[in-house]
Amino acid sequence: NVENRDGEQKLGQPMFKVSLERDWGVLDLFLMPYFRDRTFPSAEGRPRSQPRVAAELTEYENSREEYHPDVALRWSRNLGDWDLGIAHFHGTGREPRYRLGLDDDGVPVLIPRYEIIHQSSVDLQGAVGDWLWKFEGIHRKGQGPSFFAATGGFEYTFYGLADSSSDLGVLTELLWDERGKSATTPFDRDVFLGLRWVANDVDGTELLTGVVSDWQNGTRFFNLEASRRVGNDWKLGLQARFWENVDDSDALFGLRNDDYIEFKVSRFF
């Protein structure tokens, strides 16, 4: 969360992994002996929730806290144009729930609580001609009442746009969480529409833009990401996030004034 609100950056996870490859698929077994709790923006950080998340007051359901051993099992197989995966996880949930409390100064804060969960999941991806189809679904127990959640969509690519070397992809995705307003994610009843443009040049120029809209309360979240290499050692990146018409019941309400633009210059050695 301190690196980016989109959740693409992950904390490293110490683990042991054993894989078995057979004609009927690949079976992966994971053992995770240690858990790393999330980091959150400080009282002066942006963008942050309101009230802020007090990571220093983190709670665990299990008495072993971050040393509870977690296990996961995943089976995957290629079925022609489709890739299928089925998995189960048991251990400390990586997504905390929050309760309202007070910090040492008596200021209201959100206290993260990590609970022991069972989560079963299925993921499916298919590349069929110019179409790319994706689906992910989960069923989770142990974090309050059991629930289902799913996301799915497609990307259709127009190759050689206007007789050029560039490609244009049209993306659509639906996001649904059975918990509704009590979900730990703001994207519980949302639809994403976007465009991905890839220049296919030697500098790897590409752009992704789109909007996530809540079909119940009208909250909208706009996103733009672009990048391009400069020479052999440099890379430029641009990211912009904007919130519009944020409903006061939406989990994004605390970020309604946190529109931002980020420009990044990277040097590789």
Side-chain angles (χ1 to χ4, degrees):
N1 281 302
V2 295
E3 181 70 21
N4 200 311
R5 296 290 298 187
D6 60 16
E8 292 182 2
Q9 285 72 26
K10 304 295 186 183
L11 293 172
Q13 169 66 65
M15 70 170 66
F16 299 95
K17 177 187 175 184
V18 177
S19 295
L20 180 65
E21 298 185 14
R22 292 292 186 269
D23 293 339
W24 42 260
V26 178
L27 191 64
D28 295 315
L29 175 65
F30 302 86
L31 174 62
M32 293 155 277
Y34 178 75
F35 166 75
R36 295 181 63 192
D37 59 313
R38 292 187 180 186
T39 52
F40 298 92
S42 66
E44 301 299 325
R46 290 286 185 177
R48 66 176 185 274
S49 61
Q50 183 60 37
R52 74 174 182 91
V53 178
E56 69 275 11
L57 301 177
T58 294
E59 300 175 346
Y60 294 88
E61 177 186 357
N62 189 270
S63 59
R64 294 186 179 182
E65 298 184 342
E66 66 266 38
Y67 294 100
H68 181 278
D70 304 328
V71 294
L73 185 69
R74 183 174 191 269
W75 170 82
S76 59
R77 186 177 181 182
N78 175 264
L79 302 171
D81 295 331
W82 296 85
D83 294 313
L84 172 65
I86 300 175
H88 185 79
F89 170 89
H90 172 65
T92 304
R94 269 50 185 170
E95 188 178 61
R97 288 202 296 175
Y98 304 93
R99 70 173 183 86
L100 190 62
L102 301 175
D103 63 12
D104 293 339
D105 298 321
V107 178
V109 294
L110 295 175
I111 299 175
R113 176 176 171 80
Y114 295 93
E115 297 159 304
I116 301 299
I117 67 168
H118 280 276
Q119 178 170 297
S120 300
S121 63
V122 58
D123 56 272
L124 182 66
Q125 176 174 292
V128 184
D130 297 335
W131 297 85
L132 180 63
W133 297 90
K134 293 185 178 183
F135 173 83
E136 296 180 19
I138 68 167
H139 177 261
R140 183 183 301 171
K141 296 192 298 182
Q143 199 175 48
S146 62
F147 68 92
F148 290 93
T151 179
F154 66 84
E155 179 174 359
Y156 182 83
T157 301
F158 297 91
Y159 294 98
L161 188 67
D163 294 325
S164 69
S165 61
S166 64
D167 303 327
L168 181 67
V170 179
L171 299 85
T172 300
E173 187 171 341
L174 294 176
L175 305 99
W176 174 81
D177 192 307
E178 187 180 13
R179 295 171 293 177
K181 292 183 179 180
S182 63
T184 52
T185 169
F187 307 116
D188 58 325
R189 299 286 193 279
D190 296 78
V191 59
F192 168 76
L193 300 174
L195 296 172
R196 186 199 311 273
W197 177 71
V198 180
N200 291 318
D201 58 353
V202 295
D203 295 317
T205 306
E206 52 185 69
L207 179 146
L208 173 66
T209 185
V211 56
V212 180
S213 179
D214 189 306
W215 68 68
Q216 287 189 323
N217 59 35
T219 297
R220 289 183 291 274
F221 164 56
F222 296 88
N223 178 61
L224 183 146
E225 300 176 17
S227 64
R228 176 185 176 88
R229 291 192 302 273
V230 179
N232 294 323
D233 305 320
W234 297 87
K235 186 174 183 179
L236 305 179
L238 177 69
Q239 182 167 277
R241 299 278 168 82
F242 305 98
W243 288 263
E244 181 182 82
N245 193 40
V246 182
D247 189 84
D248 58 8
S249 65
D250 197 281
L252 293 174
F253 187 71
L255 303 176
R256 64 193 182 282
N257 296 322
D258 280 322
D259 298 346
Y260 72 91
I261 298 175
E262 176 186 283
F263 182 69
K264 181 184 291 187
V265 180
S266 302
R267 172 73 158 85
F268 296 88
F269 299 91

